[in-house]
Amino acid sequence: MEQFIAKRLYGHDDGLRGGSRPASIIVTAGVAMGIAVMILSVAITRGFKCGIRDNVKGATQHIQVQGSYSGTLATEQAVCFPDSVLESLRSLNCIDIVQPFVNKPCIIRTSKGFSGLVLKGIGPEYDVSFIDSHTVEGSCAVPPDSIGPWLFISREVADALGLSAGDKADVHFMQNRIRMRRLTVAGIFDTGFSSFDKMTAICGLEMLQKLNSWDDDGYSGIEVGLAPGTDLDEGYVALRQEMDLWQQESDQSCLIRTMEQINAGLFAWLDVLDMNVWIILALMMGIAGFTMVSGLLIIIFERVRTIGLLKSLGASDGVVRRIFLRLASYIILKGMAIGNAIGIGLCLIQKYTCIIPLDPANYYISCVPIQIGIGWLLALNVIVLTLSLLMMLIPTAVISRIEPARSMRFE
């Protein structure tokens, strides 16, 4: 009976007249705007976190192991990681990638200028998928030896030095004496991760080992990528235990840092974004709630005579309140459907067209990122619907004060 009466009151065209009709429209619009803004806020924040984490992971992997003396990325001291150590790490279930590297500061000079960078030496086993996915010119797969000494640089550095794929560049290294190597630009990348693009170029690992007079197992460090689904802290603990055993057997010590520790300021900024989202969600829920309470009060006052009639026919206060709660739920669900359509629609447009760009130098990413997930969308809608219906209990409380005898004469 309650559902039948509520549907009759709502009707196919909202069935509301007088002040109820605008109130219904305002409530619907308020709920739609609120849910749309909430979806956009969560999707953009999650997109930022996923996009930046992916960029950081691509640049450094999840965890880096370096010599304990190494305070910067550029180090001239080697850490010896025998193949047996690398294989023992690869055998761990939580570890997917183990790739050694060598860092060496350098100056790249051309006729148009020069640029100071950290040259990162990588081997054939290095995972170049991150760089390859952001290649804008040439090839960023590890080149064959036939092209000679090779070099990968960012678009930003290439534009500043006037370099293109296939060009030669003189690379100078400051050691006991200045040493120079002429390298071929094999590929140009543009990750949008400004701090990586400005400071990093990539070359062959063996060349840097020879320049430093290191053995084949001498590296600046190793990068460790965790298996999909592995928690960062869990992977760190497993790696820490394995490296502690190695340090006990050797005379070397190492420093193990996660990507969050290496980029502490960046991840602290992402944590602040989470707080901003909670504030936005609370504000939008408050605005939508105020709109819904006000709108339902107007609808109840417009229907005082109907309420009096229902009570005179024997309906209890609880029955009448449930009727109007059902009526409110129809209006709220309509608003939520419209809000979801608007919010998800705008998210999809931005996701596939990137019509809103960003400055990578400030935001570490080239356009506003979007991350849509079925789980959090459903959770958000359930929470909004539940809180909305709970707030609707406030205006329906006035129903108990309406007396049938007086309400029948209400105009």
Side-chain angles (χ1 to χ4, degrees):
M1 182 187 74
E2 298 165 7
Q3 184 176 359
F4 174 79
I5 296 174
K7 285 185 175 180
R8 293 290 296 177
L9 290 175
Y10 185 71
H12 296 294
D13 59 349
D14 289 2
L16 302 171
R17 298 292 184 264
S20 299
R21 180 68 174 176
S24 173
I25 295 173
I26 292 172
V27 172
T28 302
V31 173
M33 180 184 69
I35 197 73
V37 172
M38 291 179 192
I39 290 173
L40 286 169
S41 300
V42 177
I44 291 173
T45 301
R46 289 177 65 89
F48 261 114
K49 298 190 74 171
C50 291
I52 292 175
R53 287 182 72 92
D54 287 344
N55 280 346
V56 172
K57 173 186 171 295
T60 65
Q61 288 297 338
H62 293 100
I63 305 173
Q64 277 194 357
V65 182
Q66 293 178 276
S68 59
Y69 50 79
S70 178
T72 64
L73 284 176
T75 175
E76 296 291 335
Q77 293 181 275
V79 182
C80 295
F81 293 105
D83 290 340
S84 58
V85 174
L86 301 181
E87 290 304 320
S88 67
L89 293 179
R90 293 188 178 106
S91 66
L92 297 177
N93 293 331
C94 62
I95 291 178
D96 191 31
I97 296 171
V98 177
Q99 49 195 30
F101 65 92
V102 175
N103 281 328
K104 191 172 182 64
C106 70
I107 295 176
I108 300 179
R109 184 176 63 84
T110 67
S111 59
K112 290 191 175 182
F114 62 91
S115 178
L117 299 169
V118 173
L119 200 56
K120 182 175 185 176
I122 64 175
E125 76 284 354
Y126 196 92
D127 180 16
V128 295
S129 57
F130 173 72
I131 299 296
D132 191 50
S133 65
H134 293 88
T135 299
V136 295
E137 191 176 337
S139 172
C140 279
V142 176
D145 295 336
S146 59
I147 73 165
W150 50 270
L151 178 70
F152 298 153
I153 57 176
S154 69
R155 168 60 69 191
E156 185 173 354
V157 174
D159 290 344
L161 300 180
L163 292 171
S164 300
D167 291 347
K168 302 287 186 179
D170 294 334
V171 182
H172 300 264
F173 302 94
M174 309 301 172
Q175 297 183 211
N176 296 331
R177 59 187 178 87
I178 297 177
R179 306 180 72 176
M180 189 270 285
R181 293 289 185 272
R182 178 160 289 182
L183 307 181
T184 301
V185 178
I188 296 175
F189 57 86
D190 185 4
T191 68
F193 191 29
S194 181
S195 60
F196 178 78
D197 288 356
K198 283 182 179 179
M199 293 302 300
T200 307
I202 300 172
C203 70
L205 182 143
E206 290 186 6
M207 183 189 72
L208 297 186
Q209 286 178 321
K210 290 178 180 178
L211 278 169
N212 290 335
S213 300
W214 291 354
D215 295 332
D216 291 342
D217 60 356
Y219 309 107
S220 297
I222 55 175
E223 295 177 345
V224 177
L226 301 180
T230 302
D231 181 73
L232 184 60
D233 292 334
E234 176 188 342
Y236 175 83
V237 170
L239 179 63
R240 174 92 263 176
Q241 293 174 345
E242 194 72 18
M243 297 310 298
D244 284 345
L245 293 175
W246 169 72
Q247 289 180 91
Q248 292 173 8
E249 297 172 357
S250 66
D251 295 331
Q252 301 184 94
S253 59
C254 62
L255 175 66
I256 304 176
R257 296 183 298 169
T258 67
M259 62 182 186
E260 293 180 353
Q261 293 170 334
I262 296 172
N263 302 276
L266 181 57
F267 282 93
W269 175 62
L270 292 178
D271 290 338
V272 172
L273 286 182
D274 285 338
M275 179 60 66
N276 291 342
V277 169
W278 284 112
I279 293 173
I280 291 173
L281 293 179
L283 288 174
M284 295 312 302
M285 195 64 232
I287 293 171
F290 177 79
T291 303
M292 289 183 291
V293 169
S294 302
L296 188 56
L297 278 174
I298 293 172
I299 294 171
I300 289 173
F301 290 144
E302 285 283 323
R303 295 288 176 170
V304 166
R305 297 185 66 181
T306 303
I307 294 171
L309 178 61
L310 289 171
K311 285 189 173 185
S312 65
L313 293 175
S316 64
D317 289 339
V319 170
V320 179
R321 290 183 69 176
R322 286 194 293 272
I323 290 172
F324 278 88
L325 281 175
R326 287 181 180 273
L327 175 61
S329 68
Y330 298 148
I331 300 173
I332 292 169
L333 287 172
K334 181 179 179 180
M336 290 180 64
I338 296 172
N340 275 274
I342 295 172
I344 295 174
L346 291 175
C347 286
L348 292 175
I349 291 172
Q350 175 62 23
K351 182 178 179 68
Y352 292 107
T353 64
C354 293
I355 59 175
I356 304 178
L358 293 174
D359 181 4
N362 295 322
Y363 295 97
Y364 308 99
I365 205 162
S366 58
C367 68
V368 174
I370 298 293
Q371 200 275 332
I372 301 177
I374 300 298
W376 68 259
L377 274 174
L378 289 175
L380 180 63
N381 279 273
V382 169
I383 292 172
V384 170
L385 179 60
T386 302
L387 292 178
S388 298
L389 292 178
L390 288 175
M391 284 188 283
M392 290 299 95
L393 294 174
I394 299 173
T396 57
V398 303
I399 291 174
S400 60
R401 300 187 178 185
I402 297 176
E403 299 177 4
R406 298 179 61 184
S407 63
M408 297 297 288
R409 297 192 303 271
F410 181 81
E411 294 293 339

